[in-house]
Amino acid sequence: MDLETIPGVGEKTASALTELDDPERALRDGDVAALARAPGITHGRAARIARGAIRREHDDPGGFLATDRAREVYREVLSLLKDRTVTRYGAQRLETIYPSPCRSRIEEVQAFAREAIEHEPTEAVLEALEGVEPLDRASDVRVRDRCLATRDAERYSEARDALPELSVEVVEDARGLAELARGYATVVALDESFAGVDVDGDVQVRPDALENPAEVVPERPLAFFARNRTSLRAAVAVHRAADLEAPCDLAALEDGLERLADDGTVAGDDELDRLTVAVDDLDAAASTAESVANDHLREAIREQDVTIEGADLLSLVERGAGVDSLLSRELADEYAAAVEAAREELVDSLDLDAGEAEIARRAFGDEPTFPVEREEAVVSRLREELTAAKERRAARLKRELAADLADQREGARQLVRNALELDVELAIAQFARDFECTMPAFGADDGAEKREDETGFAIDDGRSPLLDEPLEEIDPVDYAVSGVALLSGVNSGGKTSTLDLVASVVVLAHMGLPVPAEDVRLQRFDDLHYHAKTQGTLDAGAFESTVREFADLATGGDGSLVLVDELESITEPGASAKIIAGILEALDDNGATAVFVSHLAGEIREMAAFDVTIDGIEAVGLVDGELQVNRSPVKEHLARSTPELIVEKLAGESQAVFYDRLLEKFD
């Protein structure tokens, strides 16, 4: 894959992406977390790169969201989806789902969404998802007690790339190999020509070492699983709670993780634990054994009555003899018992086996002395033996566990990916449930002759997700437009909310997602132009810019959806009606779909050169000063204004001719 062909990816970014394990898979799956692991790539940038890859795959020109308000609607509905994710990844992954005019992209996401809404977001699954995070590559592992050796420069470069955790050295002969063996605990020779070479130290000839990295560097898979054990265990829980088909043996994976300590060493092996404790406690145990012997000897001396004849005392003095001779002569048995107690204490406290115990017993000699002291040379040898045994067992256990886990590595990666993708699916499912959504139906494909009922949009029982109200308190709206229409209605009657509903439905439909309605049918639009209500009259420059924007839009094709909220606010009412009429004429000529909210619907219709459809959100009356409104626009109906309703109410409550005369002005 030529990464630089992705929109927004230059040479520097492409180079960063190539450092990933599998950039093509990450781009194909929209794996934002994996892309963000590339050097210098932020999560926001990763989402943009993923979208660019999707656009390239589907030949998507982009630009569906053609105005600021259209982009705001997208961000709002996206935020509602992201709010329903549990993981950070889920929220990032949703950033790759965007509104597109391309049928292939819409259908791709629709297939994903249809499966997603079948899931049930249970508490058990959501709780398990809280522990799932994208996996750490654990690429910073360094092993300093081993090295690789080779005679070949090409093999040297290959080894550095394949096993970056180890130092790689170039040697010419057995002498160079021997020198390395003096500096490293283990030397792995990659060249078969070294077979049979006799050198001191642990030198292994392994021509296949680069093909079996887990055997040479078991720390690599162990570090990966140790750093990711929390996420892996959570992913296992997700699969079980959601009853997902697992890509690996869950029981075997759990067993491997149970045998692994947080620092990447092997846990749960009694013999390794015994040796580790023995090495760590050796000095303290030797000191305790000394104390046992000396305490025993002191007690024996206190209780012993020693009688020495003068001639014997004189002989001892003349020979320069000290207390050792006295102990040897008078307390030999007690000394032997004290030393035996020290030996037993050392052996028992360290839980030494027979061979280790034989060395340990020599730490206290038979020759009497006081105080009793250990032989440091013997203790040092015992430490070396215990350490070597510990390292041998740890190395063997690491190799065995690494071999078991290495086979699970790809399955474990997929396990976590499945769990993270499930979070995205559950967010979509929860959104669909919360807003009582359905999958929309699109009209005729490109090249087919479109019937009138396959153009524009038709929404049945739609509820805008952008309203900050509980769903049950939102009145459902039915609205359908094919071609160009004016939407009239009273103030606070719901005209803007209707535009928001249409915009959110169209955006979600073109994202390939379920929409908040009982039923939706629409054409596949090329772009969405949503112009929000302008606050105050524009100055001459801003007015000119706005008119130019509509001029560009009016000369486009028939694939645009145009939503405009009270364009008359940009200038004087009389001029606004003329301008809007002209814009509508151009849009109608080009076959666009448009809804213009306006209080000047009647005036615009009179000035337009074609029969403009006027729909109305009708107020059915006033109750206690509150408007009672039918939120669904009535087709081909110019809605009455709020002032007309108020005058009508006053005329009905009073006999005054004044109100009747005012009411006549609205006819």
Side-chain angles (χ1 to χ4, degrees), residues 516-567:
E518 179 70 26
D519 184 68
V520 169
R521 301 165 305 284
L522 74 163
Q523 75 175 75
R524 191 157 42 82
F525 294 108
D526 292 335
D527 43 43
L528 170 63
H529 298 257
Y530 185 1
H531 293 267
K533 187 186 303 183
T534 302
Q535 300 299 319
T537 302
L538 300 181
D539 60 29
F543 175 77
E544 179 182 345
S545 175
T546 301
V547 174
R548 285 181 179 275
E549 184 176 351
F550 279 103
D552 294 338
L553 177 60
T555 57
D558 63 354
S560 296
L561 173 61
V562 185
L563 305 176
V564 182
D565 195 0
E566 295 189 19
L567 185 61

Coordinates of all heavy atoms in Angstrom, one line a residue, residues 516-567:
P516 N -33.2 8.4 14.3 CA -34.2 8.5 15.3 C -35.6 8.7 14.8 O -36.2 9.8 14.8 CB -33.7 9.7 16.1 CG -33.0 10.5 15.1 CD -32.4 9.6 14.2
A517 N -36.2 7.7 14.2 CA -37.6 7.8 13.6 C -38.1 6.4 13.5 O -37.4 5.4 13.6 CB -37.5 8.5 12.3
E518 N -39.5 6.3 13.3 CA -40.1 5.1 13.1 C -39.8 4.5 11.7 O -39.6 3.3 11.5 CB -41.6 5.2 13.2 CG -42.5 4.0 12.9 CD -42.3 3.0 14.0 OE1 -42.0 3.4 15.2 OE2 -42.5 1.8 13.7
D519 N -39.7 5.4 10.7 CA -39.4 5.0 9.3 C -38.8 6.2 8.6 O -39.3 7.3 8.8 CB -40.7 4.5 8.6 CG -40.4 4.0 7.2 OD1 -39.7 3.0 7.1 OD2 -40.8 4.7 6.2
V520 N -37.8 6.0 7.8 CA -37.1 7.0 7.0 C -36.8 6.5 5.6 O -36.2 5.4 5.5 CB -35.8 7.5 7.7 CG1 -35.1 8.4 6.8 CG2 -36.2 8.3 9.0
R521 N -37.2 7.3 4.6 CA -36.8 7.0 3.2 C -36.2 8.3 2.7 O -36.7 9.4 2.9 CB -38.0 6.6 2.4 CG -38.7 5.4 3.0 CD -40.1 5.2 2.4 NE -41.0 6.4 2.6 CZ -41.6 6.7 3.8 NH1 -41.3 6.0 4.9 NH2 -42.4 7.7 3.8
L522 N -35.1 8.2 2.0 CA -34.4 9.4 1.5 C -33.5 9.0 0.3 O -33.2 7.8 0.1 CB -33.6 10.0 2.6 CG -32.3 9.4 3.0 CD1 -31.4 10.4 3.8 CD2 -32.5 8.1 3.9
Q523 N -33.2 10.0 -0.4 CA -32.2 9.8 -1.5 C -30.8 10.0 -1.0 O -30.6 10.5 0.2 CB -32.5 10.8 -2.6 CG -32.0 12.3 -2.3 CD -32.1 13.2 -3.5 OE1 -33.2 13.6 -3.8 NE2 -31.0 13.5 -4.1
R524 N -29.9 9.5 -1.7 CA -28.5 9.7 -1.3 C -28.0 11.0 -1.8 O -27.8 11.2 -3.0 CB -27.6 8.5 -1.8 CG -26.2 8.4 -1.3 CD -25.7 7.0 -1.4 NE -26.0 6.4 -2.7 CZ -25.3 6.6 -3.8 NH1 -24.3 7.5 -3.8 NH2 -25.7 6.1 -5.0
F525 N -27.8 11.9 -0.8 CA -27.4 13.3 -1.2 C -25.9 13.4 -1.4 O -25.1 12.6 -0.8 CB -27.8 14.3 -0.1 CG -29.3 14.4 0.1 CD1 -30.0 13.8 1.1 CD2 -30.1 15.1 -0.9 CE1 -31.4 14.0 1.3 CE2 -31.4 15.2 -0.8 CZ -32.1 14.6 0.3
D526 N -25.5 14.4 -2.2 CA -24.0 14.6 -2.4 C -23.5 15.5 -1.3 O -22.3 15.3 -0.9 CB -23.8 15.4 -3.7 CG -24.2 14.5 -4.9 OD1 -24.1 13.3 -4.8 OD2 -24.5 15.1 -6.0
D527 N -24.3 16.3 -0.7 CA -23.8 17.2 0.3 C -25.0 17.8 1.1 O -26.1 17.8 0.6 CB -22.9 18.3 -0.2 CG -23.4 19.0 -1.5 OD1 -24.6 19.2 -1.5 OD2 -22.6 19.2 -2.4
L528 N -24.7 18.3 2.3 CA -25.7 18.9 3.1 C -25.2 20.4 3.4 O -24.2 20.6 4.0 CB -25.8 18.2 4.4 CG -26.6 18.8 5.5 CD1 -28.1 19.0 5.1 CD2 -26.6 18.0 6.8
H529 N -26.1 21.3 3.0 CA -25.9 22.7 3.3 C -27.0 23.2 4.3 O -28.2 23.3 4.0 CB -26.0 23.6 2.0 CG -25.0 23.2 1.0 ND1 -23.9 24.0 0.7 CD2 -25.0 22.2 0.1 CE1 -23.2 23.4 -0.3 NE2 -23.9 22.3 -0.6
Y530 N -26.5 23.4 5.5 CA -27.5 23.8 6.6 C -27.0 25.2 7.1 O -25.9 25.3 7.6 CB -27.5 22.8 7.7 CG -28.5 23.0 8.8 CD1 -29.4 24.1 8.8 CD2 -28.6 22.2 9.9 CE1 -30.3 24.3 9.8 CE2 -29.5 22.3 10.9 CZ -30.4 23.4 10.9 OH -31.3 23.6 11.9
H531 N -27.9 26.1 6.8 CA -27.6 27.5 7.2 C -28.5 27.9 8.4 O -29.7 27.9 8.3 CB -27.8 28.5 6.1 CG -26.9 28.3 4.9 ND1 -25.7 29.0 4.8 CD2 -27.0 27.5 3.9 CE1 -25.1 28.6 3.7 NE2 -25.9 27.7 3.1
A532 N -27.8 28.1 9.6 CA -28.5 28.4 10.8 C -29.0 29.9 10.7 O -28.6 30.7 9.9 CB -27.6 28.2 12.0
K533 N -29.9 30.2 11.6 CA -30.5 31.6 11.7 C -29.4 32.6 12.0 O -28.6 32.4 12.9 CB -31.6 31.6 12.7 CG -32.3 32.9 12.8 CD -33.3 33.0 14.0 CE -34.3 31.8 13.9 NZ -35.2 31.8 15.0
T534 N -29.3 33.7 11.2 CA -28.4 34.7 11.5 C -28.9 35.6 12.6 O -30.0 36.0 12.6 CB -28.1 35.5 10.2 OG1 -27.6 34.6 9.2 CG2 -27.0 36.6 10.4
Q535 N -28.0 36.0 13.5 CA -28.4 36.9 14.5 C -28.2 38.4 14.1 O -27.0 38.8 14.0 CB -27.5 36.7 15.8 CG -27.7 35.3 16.3 CD -29.1 35.0 16.8 OE1 -29.8 35.8 17.4 NE2 -29.6 33.8 16.5
G536 N -29.2 39.0 13.7 CA -29.1 40.4 13.3 C -28.9 40.6 11.8 O -28.5 39.6 11.1
T537 N -29.1 41.8 11.3 CA -28.9 42.0 9.9 C -27.4 42.1 9.5 O -26.7 42.7 10.3 CB -29.6 43.4 9.5 OG1 -31.0 43.3 9.8 CG2 -29.4 43.7 8.0
L538 N -27.1 41.5 8.4 CA -25.6 41.5 8.0 C -25.3 42.8 7.4 O -26.1 43.5 6.8 CB -25.4 40.4 7.0 CG -25.7 38.9 7.5 CD1 -25.4 37.9 6.4 CD2 -24.9 38.6 8.7
D539 N -24.0 43.2 7.5 CA -23.5 44.3 6.8 C -23.3 44.0 5.3 O -23.5 42.9 4.9 CB -22.2 44.8 7.4 CG -21.1 43.8 7.3 OD1 -21.1 43.0 6.4 OD2 -20.2 43.8 8.2
A540 N -23.0 45.0 4.6 CA -23.0 44.9 3.1 C -22.0 43.8 2.7 O -22.4 42.9 1.8 CB -22.6 46.2 2.4
G541 N -20.8 43.7 3.3 CA -19.8 42.7 2.9 C -20.3 41.3 3.2 O -20.2 40.4 2.4
A542 N -20.8 41.1 4.4 CA -21.3 39.8 4.8 C -22.5 39.4 4.0 O -22.6 38.2 3.6 CB -21.6 39.8 6.3
F543 N -23.4 40.3 3.7 CA -24.5 40.0 2.8 C -24.1 39.5 1.5 O -24.6 38.6 0.9 CB -25.4 41.2 2.7 CG -26.6 41.1 1.8 CD1 -27.7 40.3 2.2 CD2 -26.6 41.6 0.5 CE1 -28.8 40.1 1.4 CE2 -27.6 41.4 -0.3 CZ -28.7 40.7 0.1
E544 N -23.1 40.2 0.9 CA -22.6 39.9 -0.4 C -22.0 38.5 -0.4 O -22.2 37.6 -1.3 CB -21.5 40.9 -0.9 CG -20.9 40.5 -2.3 CD -19.8 41.5 -2.7 OE1 -19.8 42.6 -2.0 OE2 -19.1 41.2 -3.6
S545 N -21.3 38.1 0.7 CA -20.6 36.8 0.8 C -21.7 35.7 0.9 O -21.6 34.7 0.2 CB -19.8 36.8 2.0 OG -19.2 35.5 2.2
T546 N -22.8 36.0 1.6 CA -23.9 35.0 1.7 C -24.5 34.8 0.4 O -24.8 33.6 0.0 CB -24.9 35.5 2.8 OG1 -24.2 35.7 4.0 CG2 -26.0 34.5 2.9
V547 N -24.8 35.8 -0.3 CA -25.5 35.7 -1.6 C -24.6 34.9 -2.6 O -25.0 34.1 -3.4 CB -25.8 37.1 -2.2 CG1 -26.4 37.0 -3.6 CG2 -26.9 37.8 -1.3
R548 N -23.3 35.2 -2.6 CA -22.3 34.5 -3.4 C -22.3 33.0 -3.1 O -22.3 32.1 -4.0 CB -20.9 35.0 -3.2 CG -20.6 36.3 -3.9 CD -19.2 36.8 -3.7 NE -18.9 38.0 -4.3 CZ -18.5 38.2 -5.6 NH1 -18.4 37.1 -6.3 NH2 -18.3 39.4 -6.1
E549 N -22.4 32.6 -1.8 CA -22.5 31.2 -1.4 C -23.7 30.5 -2.0 O -23.6 29.4 -2.5 CB -22.5 31.1 0.1 CG -22.4 29.7 0.6 CD -22.4 29.7 2.2 OE1 -22.2 30.7 2.8 OE2 -22.5 28.6 2.7
F550 N -24.8 31.2 -2.0 CA -26.0 30.6 -2.6 C -26.0 30.6 -4.1 O -26.5 29.7 -4.7 CB -27.3 31.3 -2.1 CG -27.8 30.9 -0.7 CD1 -27.5 31.7 0.4 CD2 -28.4 29.7 -0.6 CE1 -27.9 31.4 1.6 CE2 -28.9 29.4 0.7 CZ -28.6 30.2 1.8
A551 N -25.2 31.5 -4.7 CA -25.1 31.5 -6.1 C -24.3 30.2 -6.5 O -24.6 29.5 -7.5 CB -24.3 32.7 -6.6
D552 N -23.2 29.9 -5.8 CA -22.4 28.7 -6.1 C -23.3 27.5 -5.9 O -23.2 26.5 -6.7 CB -21.2 28.6 -5.2 CG -20.2 29.8 -5.5 OD1 -20.3 30.3 -6.6 OD2 -19.4 30.1 -4.6
L553 N -24.1 27.5 -4.8 CA -24.9 26.3 -4.6 C -26.0 26.1 -5.6 O -26.3 25.0 -6.1 CB -25.6 26.5 -3.2 CG -26.6 25.4 -2.7 CD1 -25.9 24.1 -2.7 CD2 -27.1 25.8 -1.4
A554 N -26.6 27.2 -6.1 CA -27.7 27.2 -7.1 C -27.3 26.7 -8.4 O -28.1 26.2 -9.2 CB -28.3 28.6 -7.2
T555 N -26.0 26.7 -8.7 CA -25.5 26.3 -10.0 C -25.0 24.8 -9.9 O -24.5 24.3 -10.9 CB -24.3 27.1 -10.5 OG1 -23.3 27.1 -9.5 CG2 -24.8 28.6 -10.7
G556 N -25.2 24.2 -8.8 CA -24.8 22.8 -8.6 C -25.7 21.8 -9.2 O -26.7 22.2 -9.9
G557 N -25.5 20.5 -8.9 CA -26.4 19.5 -9.5 C -27.6 19.3 -8.6 O -28.0 20.1 -7.8
D558 N -28.2 18.1 -8.8 CA -29.5 17.8 -8.1 C -29.2 17.0 -6.8 O -30.2 16.4 -6.3 CB -30.4 17.1 -9.0 CG -29.9 15.7 -9.4 OD1 -28.7 15.4 -9.1 OD2 -30.6 15.0 -10.1
G559 N -28.0 16.9 -6.4 CA -27.7 16.0 -5.2 C -27.6 16.7 -3.9 O -27.2 16.1 -2.9
S560 N -27.9 18.0 -3.9 CA -27.7 18.7 -2.6 C -29.0 18.7 -1.8 O -30.1 18.8 -2.3 CB -27.2 20.2 -2.9 OG -26.0 20.2 -3.5
L561 N -28.8 18.7 -0.5 CA -29.9 19.0 0.5 C -29.6 20.4 1.1 O -28.5 20.5 1.7 CB -30.0 18.0 1.5 CG -31.0 18.3 2.6 CD1 -32.5 18.4 2.1 CD2 -31.0 17.2 3.7
V562 N -30.5 21.3 1.0 CA -30.3 22.7 1.5 C -31.3 22.9 2.6 O -32.5 22.9 2.3 CB -30.4 23.7 0.4 CG1 -30.1 25.1 0.9 CG2 -29.5 23.4 -0.8
L563 N -30.9 23.3 3.8 CA -31.7 23.6 4.9 C -31.3 25.0 5.3 O -30.2 25.3 5.6 CB -31.5 22.6 6.1 CG -31.7 21.1 5.7 CD1 -31.4 20.3 7.0 CD2 -33.2 20.9 5.3
V564 N -32.3 25.9 5.4 CA -32.0 27.3 5.7 C -33.1 27.8 6.7 O -34.3 27.6 6.5 CB -32.1 28.2 4.4 CG1 -31.7 29.6 4.8 CG2 -31.1 27.7 3.4
D565 N -32.5 28.4 7.8 CA -33.4 28.9 8.8 C -33.5 30.4 8.8 O -32.5 31.1 9.2 CB -32.9 28.4 10.2 CG -33.9 28.6 11.3 OD1 -35.0 29.0 11.0 OD2 -33.6 28.2 12.5
E566 N -34.6 31.0 8.4 CA -34.9 32.4 8.4 C -33.8 33.2 7.7 O -33.2 34.1 8.4 CB -35.2 32.9 9.8 CG -36.5 32.2 10.4 CD -36.9 32.9 11.7 OE1 -36.5 34.0 12.0 OE2 -37.6 32.2 12.5
L567 N -33.6 33.0 6.4 CA -32.7 33.7 5.7 C -33.0 35.2 5.6 O -32.2 36.1 5.4 CB -32.5 33.2 4.3 CG -31.4 33.8 3.4 CD1 -30.1 33.6 4.0 CD2 -31.5 33.2 2.0

